[in-house]
Amino acid sequence: MSDTPAANRSQAAQAETPDTIGAFPRLSDEQIAVLLVRGQRRTLTDGEVLIQPGEHPSSLYVVLEGHLLTADTELAADPRHSDEPLAVEVHGRGRFVGDVGLLEGQPSFVFVSAIGAAEVVEVPVDELEAIVTSDPLLGEIILRAYLIRRSLAIGAGAGLRIVGSCFSPQTRDLLDFIARNRLPHRLVDLDEDEKAERLVRQLGATVADFPLVILGGSRTVLGATPARLAEELGMRPPAPPATCDVVVVGAGPAGLAAAVYAASDGLSVYLCDAVATGGQAGTSAKIENYLGFPAGISGTELADRSLLQVRKFGATLDIPTTVREVVEDEDRFRVIFEDGREVTSDVVVLATGVRYRSLPAAGLDRFQTSNVFYAATAQEARMCVDTPVAVVGGGNSAGQAALFLARTSSRVHLVVRAADLGAGMSRYLVDQIQHHPRINVLLSSEVVEAHGDNHLEAVTVRHGDVLEKLRVEHMFVFVGAAPATTGLKVDVARDPDGYILTGAEAELAGARTEGSPRFSLETTIPGVFAIGDVRHGSVRRMTSAVGEGASVVRQIHEYLNEGRHSRVCA
């Protein structure tokens, strides 16, 4: 960037220090040679721009000679952010630029240019995908760095700028979508941020334009919704396929596993979710009891890695999109979406998971859009820095959230209805929580009232006949779960709580064609399967959900091979 001020270049040069572990590895000459086979050399002039914020980069760039500068969107000559701090890095020989968005088809959230004359290896993204999914050493180095960089960007509040009110349900929905899809961002709160008024004047925005999203440079999405933003970012396919073998509804661990195994078997797969990949597992800060990851793995990393496998095997992913109805159409199914689009398929797999219930505490409704959360991600943690919070629930999700929030919150009150913390929580979490100095565990307790004017200020907790008032500014709720099938019309049998019946239990609940076999994961409609937490009798463990996702593919093959369908696939 030829007009970068000298002070900024000096600041950036300080980044060329010993590598930050994982995030900025330096590739060896042998690894660079592998990339040269996959790509081509490119010579750059001083200030030559490789990537602009908001653009979809098409290649990986690795430095051979000279230096590349990367900067957050503020450095891209945007006067609306001129008073914000610059986040810059300089990359010398062997280093590469970008983050996991390059592999997921997302636009760049940074500005990349040459400092002085430079030479790079330019590797097309399809070649990069092949390396990441086939080279266990080089691919893992690049992917790991990309995942760490995205996490750092989220924690720093880089990337997108969302302008809206924290009291607006539309803004909250948008923030939830952005956070669950692991997009770096920062909220410019119309009610709290002193820069908001000036920014609104510069944009010439009206009330109807909020929430709005600044993508970088001069690109702005007015009246942003999750679907509109996803389309603007290029995260959705232009149109669903007319027909396919399998439609998987829900992209949590069960749905992702079903999509990966089905697509790897050669079936055409359409995977959709109303919010994001990863499901509830995707909001977990650290999963320590998942087989094969002794040091633990974050839900976000697991979701990102699974998403790359979905892409690797050619399944179509569409997020956010909501299924409104599944209709039997002779020997196939019409899957009808909320926006009116349709996909015809041979098989439908329901993997919509569950949603946490809200608390019936008095006065809590006033804070649902501003201070009450049902997931603990980096977005929420950033809002809770140095403030006291309450986590309500006695399961693993509540325990993981309490430990994650205790890293940055001044105090975490874990409110548990049970008399024993181990009644619903894994022992490894119990041990960590009991020894954490910033976590206060309240057993045999429940939140009965919320207090505050514009923001949550305190909650009243009842222990038997004793009431205690706790000062908290945010609350995280992980109590009770309901199947996430609200609004989904599909005529399958369910238990009294709404969970979908499968296998022998489904056979007892619904009439079947005489002589027709019953698969263990099939519902009362032949060809419609249910897996994961939405299924009655589910173990409610991530490992089990992944296992059901794999198992259902075998049953789908058996169902299709019975000859009951004349399969027509696009």
Side-chain angles (χ1 to χ4, degrees), residues 240-305:
T243 64
C244 64
D245 295 325
V246 183
V247 169
V248 181
V249 186
L256 286 166
V260 167
Y261 284 105
S264 66
D265 278 357
L267 297 174
S268 56
V269 179
Y270 182 80
L271 171 65
C272 60
D273 195 283
V275 182
T277 57
Q280 288 186 341
T283 66
S284 297
K286 192 175 186 182
I287 304 166
E288 296 187 63
N289 60 348
Y290 189 49
L291 186 65
F293 295 90
I297 184 172
S298 71
T300 57
E301 181 174 343
L302 190 65
D304 279 323
R305 288 177 178 271

Side-chain angles (χ1 to χ4, degrees), residues 63-64 72-73 80 118 133 152 235 265 286 289 306 320 334 349 358 381 411 423 426 447 459 464 514 568:
V63 181
L64 292 175
D72 193 9
T73 54
R80 293 172 294 185
T133 56
L152 292 173
M235 295 170 59
D265 278 357
K286 192 175 186 182
N289 60 348
S306 300
R334 288 170 50 227
V349 179
S358 59
R411 191 69 166 164
S426 296
V447 175
V459 295
E514 185 177 353
V568 180

